[in-house]
Amino acid sequence: QVELMEFGGGLVQAGGSLRLSCAASRTMAKINIMGWYRQAPGKEREFVASSTYEGITDYSNFVKGRFTIARNNAEITASLQMNSLKDGDTGVYYCYADYGEPGTDSQRYWGQGTQVTVSS
């Protein structure tokens, strides 16, 4: 079983930067996908970015060129560097991991979320 915890959320001025990190509980198996979703107040949760164990990344169109996701496989962490933040980036950011114990189907695990607020 995987437990995830996010760090780095907070209040930032528009145009500024934040770095989020996600730490996973220790596992003997490789976590295939780690990434981030976000949810603004009153909105649906939306995909932000993801990375495979090998470092293949995927980004939503609204963060391409501004956000960068990176994996540290030895520490079982994923970071999200967010630059040129906009008001629309405000929301709760959730780390997720796709993982399956040996002999089981892969499941999606979620962190508790960390608040990012971009002010004008």
Side-chain angles (χ1 to χ4, degrees), residues 38-53:
R38 69 186 184 188
Q39 187 170 23
K43 305 295 183 181
E44 297 294 323
R45 189 174 299 186
E46 62 183 359
F47 173 78
V48 175
S50 67
S51 178
T52 69
Y53 184 89

Side-chain angles (χ1 to χ4, degrees), residues 37-99:
Y37 276 67
R38 69 186 184 188
Q39 187 170 23
K43 305 295 183 181
E44 297 294 323
R45 189 174 299 186
E46 62 183 359
F47 173 78
V48 175
S50 67
S51 178
T52 69
Y53 184 89
E54 295 79 16
I56 301 172
T57 59
D58 188 27
Y59 297 93
S60 64
N61 289 331
F62 49 82
V63 304
K64 284 183 178 178
R66 300 190 298 120
F67 292 9
T68 303
I69 187 170
R71 294 278 296 271
N72 186 321
N73 295 326
E75 298 179 358
I76 322 176
T77 58
S79 65
L80 184 69
Q81 179 66 46
M82 306 186 296
N83 300 323
S84 302
L85 284 162
K86 307 174 181 178
D87 291 346
D89 295 320
T90 292
V92 179
Y93 283 68
Y94 297 90
C95 177
Y96 78 92
D98 291 342
Y99 171 77

Side-chain angles (χ1 to χ4, degrees), residues 100-115:
E101 293 284 349
T104 68
D105 294 332
S106 180
Q107 302 290 329
R108 177 158 292 181
Y109 298 85
W110 296 95
Q112 292 296 308
T114 184
Q115 177 70 42

